[in-house]
Amino acid sequence: MNKLNTGIFIFDGVEVLDFAGPFEVFSQTRLVPGVESRRSDASAPFNVFTVARSADPVYATGGLRVLPHFDFA
């Protein structure tokens, strides 16, 4: 199956729920219903990752430090 690449943009001061909520939804979506399908990525239609201006850690609200998967380069 060809997965859709889905980048979640993060930046200093981002609200945790604004990126963690969508990340959770896209990363847990499955084309096959049921709890068992969530234990495997076989039916996952999305390849989800975070993107930031640079590879440096991003500091979200509350001081949560997040290391992005990819930078703009």
Side-chain angles (χ1 to χ4, degrees):
M1 165 193 331
N2 289 332
K3 295 185 181 192
L4 296 172
N5 286 325
T6 307
I8 307 291
F9 178 56
I10 57 175
F11 51 90
D12 282 334
V14 66
E15 295 283 337
V16 175
L17 193 55
D18 287 348
F19 73 89
F23 194 100
E24 177 77 9
V25 170
F26 284 110
S27 67
Q28 293 302 304
T29 298
R30 297 294 184 266
L31 298 177
V32 175
V35 174
E36 195 61 36
S37 68
R38 283 186 255 142
R39 296 193 173 125
S40 165
D41 287 341
S43 69
F46 302 107
N47 176 34
V48 188
F49 49 86
T50 54
V51 179
R53 183 180 311 257
S54 74
D56 296 330
V58 170
Y59 290 88
T61 57
L64 177 65
R65 185 175 69 165
V66 182
L67 190 60
H69 290 99
F70 299 101
D71 61 19
F72 287 175

